[in-house]
């Protein structure tokens, strides 16, 4: 039978690449995002795949639950939920950052992910079938200057994913946390609030991960034999490694 994947934040970057990957394999897709024009264009681009699009902001709890409740009958049994929607805003230190940016990251990266998970999980448990893939980040494990709230939200994704597995023991539902490192996508332009030149500088002289790489990894984790669960998967390009401890010398 044809399987169904629901991908949040599908209008760009990882989400768009994942939609293309699953469509190429004949999956049905439920794609969500805030920009209806992009969703409609993506739906057309993915023809002849069966695609249902829903425009809403995952920060809106009622909209999340309503979107899941009103899924058409042919799309109701979601096999894979990819909690992809998320963002980083700014690189200012904690003492001078914009508090609104922190609130936006918490509402999107944490609350939105929770809402979508809670909305779809009961159905998965009832059917004893499903897979939740959360998009975390290496920032949830390794701190860096300016990472403050963003890293905190991704640390939440890491631990929330593991606690979901603890709650779901005894079911056949799988949970995976994918943790990308240096990746070039529209994500970085958003972080620098539209300043593409600043975003591009991050990747100068490197060969970063691209969205298609993450799409391939996510697809792989969801198509392994049903008794296998990838708990977490940390991904970096070979041009990235770990920084030495920072020491302030006076």
């Amino acid at each position: 039978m044809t399987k169904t994947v629901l991908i949040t934040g599908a209008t760009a970057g990882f989400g768009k690449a994942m939609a293309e990957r699953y469509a190429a394999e004949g999956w049905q897709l439920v794609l969500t995002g805030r920009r209806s024009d992009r969703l409609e264009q993506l739906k057309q681009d993915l023809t002849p795949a069966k695609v249902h699009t829903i425009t809403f902001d995952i920060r809106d709890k009622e909209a999340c639950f309503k979107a899941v409740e009103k899924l058409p009958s042919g799309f109701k049994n979601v096999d894979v939920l990819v909690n992809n929607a998320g963002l980083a805003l700014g690189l200012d230190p904690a003492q001078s950052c914009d508090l609104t940016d922190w609130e936006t990251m918490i509402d999107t990266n944490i609350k939105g992910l929770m809402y979508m998970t809670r909305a779809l999980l009961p159905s998965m448990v009832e059917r004893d079938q499903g897979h939740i893939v959360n998009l975390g980040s290496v920032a949830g494990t390794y701190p860096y200057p300016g990472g403050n709230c963003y890293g905190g939200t991704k640390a939440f994704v890491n631990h929330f994913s593991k606690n979901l597995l603890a709650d779901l023991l005894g079911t056949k539902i799988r949970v995976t946390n994918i943790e990308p490192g240096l990746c070039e996508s529209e994500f970085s332009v958003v972080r620098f609030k539209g300043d593409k030149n600043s975003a591009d500088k991050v990747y100068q002289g490197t060969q970063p991960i691209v969205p298609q790489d993450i799409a391939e990894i996510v697809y792989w984790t969801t198509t392994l034999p049903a008794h296998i669960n990838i708990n977490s998967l940390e991904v970096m390009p070979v041009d990235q490694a770990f920084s030495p401890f920072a020491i302030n010398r006076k």
Side-chain angles (χ1 to χ4, degrees), residues 104-115:
T104 300
M105 287 186 279
I106 289 168
D107 289 345
T108 306
N109 300 354
I110 294 180
K111 290 184 178 180
L113 181 145
M114 288 194 309
Y115 298 155

Side-chain angles (χ1 to χ4, degrees), residues 57-241:
D57 190 330
I58 64 165
R59 294 178 294 175
D60 184 337
K61 179 170 64 175
E62 290 185 8
C64 290
F65 280 85
K66 183 178 178 181
V68 171
E69 181 184 341
K70 294 195 172 183
L71 284 172
S73 58
F75 292 88
K76 273 194 177 297
N77 291 336
V78 174
D79 297 284
V80 175
L81 164 64
V82 183
N83 281 314
N84 167 72
L87 77 169
L89 292 172
L91 274 170
D92 294 330
Q95 63 270 27
S96 59
C97 71
D98 184 341
L99 188 58
T100 302
D101 288 346
W102 279 12
E103 292 172 330
T104 300
M105 287 186 279
I106 289 168
D107 289 345
T108 306
N109 300 354
I110 294 180
K111 290 184 178 180
L113 181 145
M114 288 194 309
Y115 298 155
M116 292 304 296
T117 299
R118 186 61 180 80
L120 277 163
L121 195 54
S123 172
M124 289 183 175
V125 171
E126 183 179 347
R127 292 180 287 119
D128 200 18
Q129 179 183 340
H131 195 156
I132 296 170
V133 180
N134 295 324
L135 262 293
S137 169
V138 296
T141 305
Y142 310 108
Y144 58 87
N148 44 67
C149 186
Y150 174 69
T153 65
K154 293 305 183 178
F156 171 87
V157 173
N158 172 30
H159 216 62
F160 182 65
S161 300
K162 291 174 180 174
N163 277 281
L164 283 176
L165 277 173
D167 286 345
L168 293 167
L169 183 64
T171 74
K172 296 178 182 177
I173 299 166
R174 303 188 285 184
V175 182
T176 300
N177 178 30
I178 304 294
E179 303 172 295
L182 187 69
C183 184
E184 186 171 13
S185 72
E186 193 173 317
F187 171 93
S188 299
V189 179
V190 171
R191 177 166 222 166
F192 288 98
K193 301 184 178 180
D195 185 347
K196 192 172 185 304
N197 288 332
S198 294
D200 289 344
K201 287 178 183 177
V202 175
Y203 308 102
Q204 285 180 357
T206 72
Q207 184 176 353
I209 297 167
V210 295
Q212 288 73 22
D213 298 326
I214 299 303
E216 188 63 37
I217 290 167
V218 169
Y219 179 77
W220 172 74
T221 66
T222 61
T223 53
L224 289 169
H227 67 290
I228 299 295
N229 188 80
I230 303 297
N231 298 341
S232 61
L233 202 160
E234 184 180 290
V235 189
M236 288 183 177
V238 295
D239 287 338
Q240 187 177 28

